[in-house]
DNA sequence: CAGTGAGCGAGCTTCCGCTTGACTT
């Protein structure tokens, strides 16, 4: 019978700990939060004391039951949820639930900063109590997010369409994407000119470019310079050689892993996380289950002492002493708490090289694992060294026309050897000041200034992280939400705002400028730090926040009609065929539609775009068959008399009589082996040849 | 492989952050 109970968040972690602690311990996982605000209502007394009314999550009932059962059989209970704000709240909630059922069993809080037998033993030997300040900071964070989300989203339902949403994180992400689009639209392309030269010395050709500090936008201006120098001698006026060290990259954390997986493999953040989770939970290797990487939701780039030692040993034995990074590398991330809940994302066992795992795990898993493995090993490999040479050439008697260029040579590959890539060398001849070089070719090149690029998953996540908006567990879901709400579409890797996304951003940002300011979250974090340090009372912070917000909410509500009329609904020149009132374009759940301005007394509506006609008559009612889209965006064909007539087809109809049963139309189906036809009535299929023969 | 689908007008939508499953066809 187990006498001690330990509760952690992740089931995988629980399994590992069980292995360390052995008999005498029962280890259970809460699988994240067990309590939260109710989904169906605000759950906060906004006119009272702002205490959040957390309820037990439905899908955690069984887990909590198991925890309390096990608790009643234990002499002592340790709660080892993650050592951070959310983890502390989880600990508090677990404690509350246990205390409802089990009395007189001591409940302790333990903090694991690392999952190693020594660290775990140390943590259990030094238990503490729940840190109320951290719990309060979580309450503040949670209530603020709920208040923002649940009081602003309904405004969108009233003004645009039901089902829409707004939030501290998603609306800022949307804002970034939309404002970038506005910048692109406002961008004015300018043309400017440079002169590119190919030179030669000692049989080596190289490139130098004349690019004046002030851009030359007039063609005749550059032509004048060109004419002036085109036949002149070119002399080396400057030549410098520098050795530079290139630092190895830091190990991966969630955000950087998502960025690279997107950039290199085109994986969406969602897919990356699914794959990483599989690597974390473990893969069957030679009949044994083995977790291949450390936890994948982390904002830390710290590596454990033990891991550093192992990886350095690996580097020494595989690449030699010369490649092992000396001294201790600081993994500090801009003064952030290095003692966070998790390590960087790294392989659990560096000796399991990608080569070893080849053929043992799925292709995509191997791709991601390779990335993680290489990056972790590279982070402890020596810097690379390059020799960089830069030169300036000037045409004879024209010292202002400087042709500049750079050469580059990798003299020590260092960590590049682990990554399997290296910067391309650019070779230059040896030169010294005063040398003359041979002019091979000079030409004017037209250049254009470029607008800023649209965000991709990778660049959006990078920006959000830099702003401190969102957490490792939310980067992927945030982008998914924007796409689900139809605020944003992803094409290839690029994120484009939709018309709806722009509308939502334009309605919200000017009316709630501080909340949807890109720096709001960073400011909030400073306040939360004060709560965590015990310097601020969380309730007064939230009260003050809400008092300010309330004014803006009221303003918005007072102006709903006006906002709708001036910013959302578009008036048409057309009159309603039923009542003669003007028609308008409104927003619905599935996009825009045309409706009568007299709603609700007149209920006339029609789709904004007439569905495309196929020219084929409906075999049931004689109406027209039109091309439509279902709510998933897939096309199908249906009778234009819907809902009176419910005839539908999944493929394009053609007015050909079925050779078998005489049904008036056939479906044209594009299969893998070519096009064939099928009768919707008798279901028989016909090849193109058979159709031609039967006429 | 086959084959469903659409309503935008009265009962519900929505937030962020922690973590992983699963009533059956």
């Amino acid at each position: 019978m187990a006498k001690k109970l330990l509760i952690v968040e992740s089931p995988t972690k629980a399994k590992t700990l069980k292995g360390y602690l052995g008999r005498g311990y029962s280890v259970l996982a809460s699988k994240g939060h067990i309590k939260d605000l109710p989904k169906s209502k605000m759950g906060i007394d906004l006119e009272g004391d702002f205490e959040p009314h957390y309820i037990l999550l439905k899908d955690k009932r069984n887990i909590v039951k198991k925890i309390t059962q096990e608790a009643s059989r234990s002499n002592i209970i340790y709660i080892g949820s993650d050592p951070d704000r959310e983890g502390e709240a989880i600990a508090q909630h677990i404690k509350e639930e246990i205390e409802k059922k089990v009395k007189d069993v001591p409940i302790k809080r333990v903090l694991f900063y690392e999952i190693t037998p020594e660290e775990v033993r140390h943590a259990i030997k030094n238990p503490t109590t729940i840190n109320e300040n951290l719990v309060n900071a979580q309450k503040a964070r949670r209530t603020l997010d709920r208040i923002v989300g649940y009081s602003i989203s309904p405004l969108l339902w009233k003004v645009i369409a039901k089902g829409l949403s707004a939030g501290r994180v998603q609306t800022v992400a949307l804002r970034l994407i939309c404002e970038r689009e506005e910048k692109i639209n406002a961008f004015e392309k300018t043309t400017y000119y440079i002169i590119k030269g190919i030179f030669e010395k000692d049989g080596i050709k190289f490139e130098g470019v004349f690019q004046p500090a002030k851009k030359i936008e007039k063609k005749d201006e550059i032509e004048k310079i060109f004419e002036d120098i085109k036949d002149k001698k070119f002399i080396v006026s400057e030549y410098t050689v520098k050795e530079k060290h290139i630092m190895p990259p830091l190990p991966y954390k969630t955000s950087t892993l998502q960025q690279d997986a997107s950039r290199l493999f085109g994986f969406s953040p969602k897919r990356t996380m699914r794959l990483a989770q599989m690597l974390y939970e473990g893969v069957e290797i030679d009949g044994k289950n083995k977790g291949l990487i450390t936890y994948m939701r982390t904002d830390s780039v710290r590596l454990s002492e033990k891991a550093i030692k192992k990886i350095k040993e690996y580097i020494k034995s595989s690449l030699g002493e010369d490649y092992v990074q000396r001294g201790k590398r600081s993994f500090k991330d801009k003064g952030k708490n290095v003692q966070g809940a998790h390590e960087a994302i790294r392989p659990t066992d560096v000796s399991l090289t990608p080569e070893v795992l080849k053929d043992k795990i799925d292709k995509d898993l191997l791709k991601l694992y390779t990335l993680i493995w290489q990056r972790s090993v590279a982070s402890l490999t020596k810097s690379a060294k390059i020799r960089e040479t830069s030169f300036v050439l000037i045409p004879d008697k024209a010292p202002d026309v400087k042709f500049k260029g750079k050469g580059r040579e990798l003299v020590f590959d260092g960590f590049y050897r682990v990554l399997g890539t290296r910067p391309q060398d650019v070779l230059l001849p040896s030169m010294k000041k005063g040398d003359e070089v041979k002019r091979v070719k000079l030409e004017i090149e037209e250049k254009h200034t470029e607008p800023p690029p649209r965000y991709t998953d990778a660049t959006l996540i990078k920006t959000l992280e830099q702003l401190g908006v969102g957490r490792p567990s939310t980067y992927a879901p945030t982008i998914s939400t924007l796409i689900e709400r139809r605020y944003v579409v992803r094409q290839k890797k690029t994120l484009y705002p939709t018309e709806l996304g722009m509308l939502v951003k334009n309605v919200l940002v000017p009316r709630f400028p501080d909340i949807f300011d890109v720096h709001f979250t960073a400011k909030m974090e400073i306040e939360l730090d004060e709560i965590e340090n015990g310097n601020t009372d969380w309730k007064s912070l939230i009260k003050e926040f809400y008092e300010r917000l309330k004014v803006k909410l009221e303003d918005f509500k007072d102006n709903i009609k006006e906002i709708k009329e001036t910013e959302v609904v578009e008036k048409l020149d057309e009159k309603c065929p039923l009542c003669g009132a003007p028609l308008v374009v409104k927003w619905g759940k599935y996009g825009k539609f045309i409706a009568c301005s007299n709603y609700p007394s007149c209920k006339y509506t029609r789709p904004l775009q007439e569905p495309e006609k196929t020219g084929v008559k409906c075999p049931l009612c004689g109406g027209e068959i039109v091309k439509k889209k279902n709510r998933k965006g897939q096309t199908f064909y249906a009778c234009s008399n819907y809902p009176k007539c419910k005839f539908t087809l999944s493929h394009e109809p053609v007015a050909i009589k079925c050779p078998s049963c005489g049904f008036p139309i056939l479906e044209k189906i594009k299969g893998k082996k070519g096009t064939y036809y099928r009768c919707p009535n008798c279901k028989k299929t016909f090849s193109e040849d058979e159709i031609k023969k039967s006429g």
Side-chain angles (χ1 to χ4, degrees):
Chain A
M1 191 180 86
K3 282 190 176 156
K4 295 170 179 175
L5 170 61
L6 170 62
I7 301 144
V8 292
E9 292 181 46
S10 155
T12 310
K13 204 191 243 185
K15 222 159 71 188
T16 310
L17 287 168
K18 176 71 188 153
Y20 290 165
L21 296 166
R23 268 189 293 274
Y25 278 88
S26 168
V27 188
L28 294 176
S30 77
K31 299 187 184 175
H33 275 293
I34 61 159
K35 289 184 177 192
D36 192 14
L37 291 167
K39 201 167 171 297
S40 59
K41 55 179 185 190
M42 183 67 80
I44 303 162
D45 184 3
L46 293 177
E47 303 312 317
D49 69 349
F50 293 92
E51 189 66 36
H53 299 302
Y54 287 135
I55 57 163
L56 191 59
L57 292 166
K58 254 203 210 92
D59 54 337
K60 295 298 167 64
R61 275 185 204 156
N62 286 332
I63 287 167
V64 169
K65 209 169 169 185
K66 216 167 157 193
I67 289 174
T68 49
Q69 268 172 10
E70 204 59 43
S72 68
R73 288 190 225 127
S74 305
N75 298 331
I76 187 161
I77 298 155
Y78 297 105
I79 306 180
S81 45
D82 292 349
D84 55 26
R85 199 195 293 149
E86 299 296 323
E88 206 67 13
I90 291 171
Q92 171 66 27
H93 297 158
I94 292 171
K95 181 167 180 250
E96 286 167 10
E97 288 305 302
I98 292 175
E99 282 174 343
K100 277 188 194 167
K101 306 272 171 160
V102 185
K103 315 278 174 200
D104 304 325
V105 179
I107 301 176
K108 308 276 189 191
R109 172 82 167 115
V110 286
L111 301 170
F112 302 133
Y113 292 104
E114 220 163 80
I115 305 300
T116 60
E118 307 80 60
E119 281 298 309
V120 168
R121 218 156 288 144
H122 176 83
I124 287 183
K125 260 188 211 155
N126 298 281
T128 168
T129 53
I130 287 176
N131 180 339
E132 214 175 313
N133 291 338
L134 275 178
V135 174
N136 286 337
Q138 195 273 347
K139 284 184 189 176
R141 199 279 302 156
R142 185 66 188 92
T143 48
L144 187 145
D145 282 334
R146 173 51 71 94
I147 292 169
V148 170
Y150 271 40
S151 55
I152 298 183
S153 298
L155 301 178
L156 291 175
W157 307 343
K158 283 182 190 153
V159 127
I160 304 174
K162 54 187 182 181
L164 301 183
S165 64
R168 169 177 59 85
V169 172
Q170 61 169 282
T171 306
V172 166
L174 175 65
R175 176 182 191 167
L176 291 170
I177 293 171
C178 290
E179 290 185 345
R180 178 61 57 86
E181 196 71 17
E182 287 167 349
K183 262 194 197 152
I184 292 169
N185 289 336
F187 185 80
E188 281 180 40
K189 214 173 178 176
T190 59
T191 302
Y192 64 96
Y193 299 90
I194 61 165
I195 302 174
K196 212 176 182 176
I198 308 283
F199 306 95
E200 190 181 325
K201 185 172 180 287
D202 306 334
I204 300 173
K205 283 186 180 136
F206 59 100
E207 195 182 285
V209 173
F210 167 61
Q211 183 162 350
K214 191 180 172 295
K215 284 200 170 87
I216 296 182
E217 294 180 5
K218 289 194 183 105
K219 194 154 191 192
D220 53 347
E221 199 175 322
I222 196 89
E223 276 167 349
K224 217 177 120 202
I225 298 172
F226 184 81
E227 285 304 317
D228 185 43
I229 62 160
K230 75 176 202 297
D231 299 319
K232 286 189 170 163
K233 283 183 182 173
F234 279 76
I235 311 293
V236 178
S237 78
E238 282 174 45
Y239 183 76
T240 53
V241 181
K242 258 188 285 184
E243 287 221 328
K244 272 189 179 172
H245 290 272
I246 305 176
M247 291 281 281
L250 288 167
Y252 280 125
K253 47 182 166 175
T254 307
S255 57
T256 48
L257 179 66
Q258 288 173 341
Q259 287 161 41
D260 277 5
S262 167
R263 217 167 38 82
L264 299 168
F265 311 138
F267 290 174
S268 70
K270 211 172 163 180
R271 184 161 169 216
T272 298
M273 292 314 277
R274 207 171 35 231
L275 292 169
Q277 177 94 29
M278 288 166 80
L279 292 171
Y280 168 67
E281 282 178 9
V283 183
E284 201 75 20
I285 290 171
D286 304 331
K288 261 177 42 194
N289 187 285
K290 183 150 184 169
L292 294 179
I293 60 166
T294 53
Y295 197 59
M296 61 279 152
R297 285 184 278 266
T298 175
D299 56 2
S300 169
V301 290
R302 181 181 63 91
L303 294 175
S304 73
E305 288 296 333
K306 215 170 161 183
I308 292 173
K309 205 172 148 237
K310 288 269 184 198
I311 293 173
K312 284 190 171 179
E313 277 167 14
Y314 173 86
I315 298 168
K316 188 176 167 187
S317 68
S318 62
L319 302 178
E321 185 85 58
D322 283 353
Y323 281 85
V324 181
Q325 201 175 97
R326 281 204 211 109
K328 224 175 179 178
R329 183 159 189 199
S330 164
F331 291 111
K332 244 185 230 163
D333 217 6
K334 299 172 236 154
K336 234 181 9 199
N337 186 9
V338 220
Q339 280 275 17
H342 305 287
E343 270 189 74
I345 307 172
R346 61 161 173 89
T348 52
D349 180 355
V350 69
S351 70
L352 285 178
T353 61
E355 192 57 36
V356 171
L357 290 183
K358 209 174 141 191
D359 305 325
K360 291 189 179 168
I361 60 174
D362 178 80
K363 223 174 75 222
D364 282 346
L365 285 175
L366 183 66
K367 270 182 167 175
L368 198 68
Y369 181 79
T370 305
L371 216 55
I372 294 165
W373 186 92
Q374 287 181 335
R375 182 77 166 232
S376 305
V377 176
S379 77
L380 292 169
T381 307
K382 261 198 188 157
S383 311
K385 215 190 274 176
I386 57 164
R387 184 174 296 133
E388 202 179 77
T389 48
S390 31
F391 65 85
V392 176
L393 307 175
I394 48 172
D396 194 27
K397 312 256 166 48
D400 293 336
V401 188
K402 291 180 172 167
F403 281 74
K404 294 180 184 174
K406 266 183 185 167
R408 189 174 50 211
E409 194 187 349
L410 192 65
V411 288
F412 177 64
D413 57 357
F415 69 90
Y416 284 121
R417 180 126 168 229
V418 179
L419 298 183
T421 58
R422 48 154 65 206
Q424 186 99 52
D425 281 355
V426 180
L427 289 180
L428 290 181
S430 65
M431 290 184 251
K432 63 179 192 302
K433 208 172 159 177
D435 282 354
E436 186 187 337
V437 299
K438 195 174 148 196
R439 161 173 46 74
V440 179
K441 195 175 166 192
L442 282 182
E443 99 196 311
I444 296 173
E445 204 174 272
E446 188 176 300
K447 292 277 202 180
H448 303 280
T449 53
E450 293 293 334
R454 291 189 179 83
Y455 284 102
T456 60
D457 292 276
T459 56
L460 182 66
I461 288 170
K462 187 172 183 181
T463 307
L464 288 174
E465 197 199 17
Q466 280 167 352
L467 292 167
V469 176
R471 304 280 308 131
S473 68
T474 63
Y475 298 130
T478 299
I479 296 179
S480 296
T481 299
L482 294 179
I483 292 171
E484 264 165 40
R485 297 278 175 275
R486 300 174 184 236
Y487 294 166
V488 167
V489 287
R490 174 163 44 208
Q491 270 171 35
K492 305 263 175 188
K493 291 188 228 165
T494 309
L495 300 170
Y496 296 85
T498 62
E499 196 186 347
L500 177 61
M502 286 293 225
L503 179 64
V504 166
K505 173 245 151 191
N506 284 333
V507 165
L508 293 182
V509 169
R511 292 178 176 87
F512 302 97
D514 16 337
I515 293 176
F516 300 130
D517 183 305
V518 297
H519 299 114
F520 177 85
T521 295
K523 290 176 196 156
M524 177 190 81
E525 285 294 339
I526 293 171
E527 305 278 4
L528 294 181
D529 279 347
E530 289 297 300
I531 295 171
E532 288 178 12
N533 295 333
N535 299 332
T536 300
D537 170 50
W538 80 268
K539 283 182 179 171
S540 39
L541 177 85
I542 295 299
K543 188 176 166 62
E544 205 178 293
F545 169 77
Y546 181 64
E547 291 306 321
R548 280 204 310 273
L549 174 62
K550 210 157 93 177
V551 181
K552 303 206 159 89
L553 290 172
E554 294 305 326
D555 275 356
F556 195 110
K557 283 176 192 160
D558 290 343
N559 287 311
I560 281 179
K561 196 164 169 269
E562 201 204 319
I563 296 169
K564 231 172 149 166
E565 279 170 12
T566 59
E567 295 177 46
V568 181
V569 172
E570 185 192 334
K571 281 204 184 86
L572 295 178
D573 278 338
E574 199 184 328
K575 296 265 183 292
C576 174
L578 298 184
C579 71
L583 289 180
V584 292
V585 180
K586 287 185 165 182
W587 282 91
K589 207 171 182 179
Y590 304 113
K592 295 202 278 191
F593 66 101
I594 294 174
C596 177
S597 56
N598 249 344
Y599 179 84
S601 52
C602 174
K603 292 198 166 53
Y604 176 82
T605 66
R606 85 171 130 88
L608 184 63
Q609 274 175 336
E610 288 298 335
E612 195 183 312
K613 288 177 185 172
T614 59
V616 179
K617 292 271 172 281
C618 171
L620 299 187
C621 71
E624 177 91 17
I625 304 222
V626 293
K627 196 174 174 179
K628 289 195 158 186
K629 281 200 173 144
N630 69 10
R631 73 185 109 178
K632 284 183 195 159
Q634 302 157 316
T635 40
F636 71 104
Y637 298 84
C639 177
S640 58
N641 284 336
Y642 182 86
K644 241 195 276 169
C645 173
K646 293 198 169 59
F647 184 76
T648 64
L649 292 170
S650 5
H651 299 94
E652 188 189 343
V654 283
I656 299 172
K657 214 173 180 182
C658 172
S660 175
C661 73
F663 197 70
I665 60 175
L666 291 178
E667 282 182 279
K668 190 176 177 181
I669 301 167
K670 284 177 183 133
K672 268 184 191 161
K673 290 175 194 159
T675 308
Y676 66 100
Y677 296 84
R678 184 178 56 185
C679 171
N681 186 43
C682 68
K683 311 283 180 208
K684 283 202 178 111
T685 59
F686 311 94
S687 70
E688 288 201 281
D689 289 347
E690 284 172 305
I691 296 294
K692 271 179 203 155
K693 265 184 223 160
S694 69

